[in-house]
């Protein structure tokens, strides 16, 4: 088993050494020793970092990602949480698609000013509601997680 020092892990993954140290501080990674001042990791760290990156891309917090690993350090991902997150992403995709369509309309709208365009006014209302909804969803996720 070849141990990788933190710079090798960073080179293999493209993840900054500072982020790797942060993940270790948060309990997402565990180094197996040191070579001089450099932390050493087992080769499984590459898969673990790939899972962390994927989880972050899907919108999970680091604490939520940490909970996706069992006591033995192996992935133990709740299918219910994954399904719920996929549903949230579907909703977000729907909202973003609608937002994109409205922005495209406003870009070519023949109204004398954007504020005279009914669809632009609707876009402003939708944006305001979306911010409120996202804010309350983040608060709810913190309470649940």
């Amino acid at each position: 088993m070849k141990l990788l020092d933190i710079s090798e892990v960073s080179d293999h993954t493209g993840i900054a050494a500072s982020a790797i140290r942060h993940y270790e501080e948060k309990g997402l990674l565990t180094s197996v020793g040191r070579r001089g001042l450099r932390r050493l990791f087992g080769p499984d760290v590459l898969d673990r970092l790939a899972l962390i990156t994927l989880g972050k891309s899907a919108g999970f917090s680091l604490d939520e990602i940490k909970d996706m690993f069992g006591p033995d350090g192996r992935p133990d991902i709740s299918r219910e949480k994954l399904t719920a997150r996929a549903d949230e992403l579907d909703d977000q995709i729907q909202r973003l698609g609608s937002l994109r369509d409205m922005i495209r309309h406003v870009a070519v709208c023949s109204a004398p000013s954007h504020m005279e365009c009914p669809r632009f006014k609707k876009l402003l209302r939708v944006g305001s509601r979306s911010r409120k909804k996202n804010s309350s969803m983040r608060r709810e996720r913190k309470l649940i997680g």
Side-chain angles (χ1 to χ4, degrees), residues 112-131:
S113 80
H114 297 311
M115 293 310 290
E116 294 177 56
C117 173
R119 288 191 75 182
F120 183 71
K121 287 183 178 184
K122 181 179 179 183
L123 175 64
L124 293 176
R125 288 191 304 273
V126 168
S128 176
R129 283 195 306 263
S130 179
R131 279 192 305 278

Side-chain angles (χ1 to χ4, degrees), residues 1-14 17 20 24 29-49:
M1 172 176 88
K2 181 179 185 291
L3 297 179
L4 304 169
D5 73 36
I6 195 166
S7 65
E8 292 171 311
V9 172
S10 180
D11 289 344
H12 278 67
T13 62
I20 296 168
E24 186 177 18
L29 302 173
T30 304
S31 61
V32 295
R34 291 187 179 264
R35 182 181 304 136
L37 295 176
R38 293 185 178 194
R39 292 171 169 85
L40 295 173
F41 296 92
D44 62 320
V45 73
L46 302 177
D47 287 339
R48 195 169 180 104
L49 283 167

Side-chain angles (χ1 to χ4, degrees), residues 85-140:
R85 184 61 190 139
D87 291 343
E88 290 173 16
L89 288 171
D90 283 339
D91 292 343
Q92 186 177 11
I93 290 167
Q94 176 74 34
R95 287 190 313 272
L96 289 172
S98 296
L99 181 62
R100 177 206 55 224
D101 294 345
M102 282 194 226
I103 289 172
R104 287 188 194 276
H105 166 77
V106 171
V108 297
C109 181
S110 61
S113 80
H114 297 311
M115 293 310 290
E116 294 177 56
C117 173
R119 288 191 75 182
F120 183 71
K121 287 183 178 184
K122 181 179 179 183
L123 175 64
L124 293 176
R125 288 191 304 273
V126 168
S128 176
R129 283 195 306 263
S130 179
R131 279 192 305 278
K132 288 178 187 176
K133 183 177 181 179
N134 288 341
S135 177
S136 51
M137 283 178 64
R138 281 191 297 272
R139 282 192 301 269
E140 182 179 311

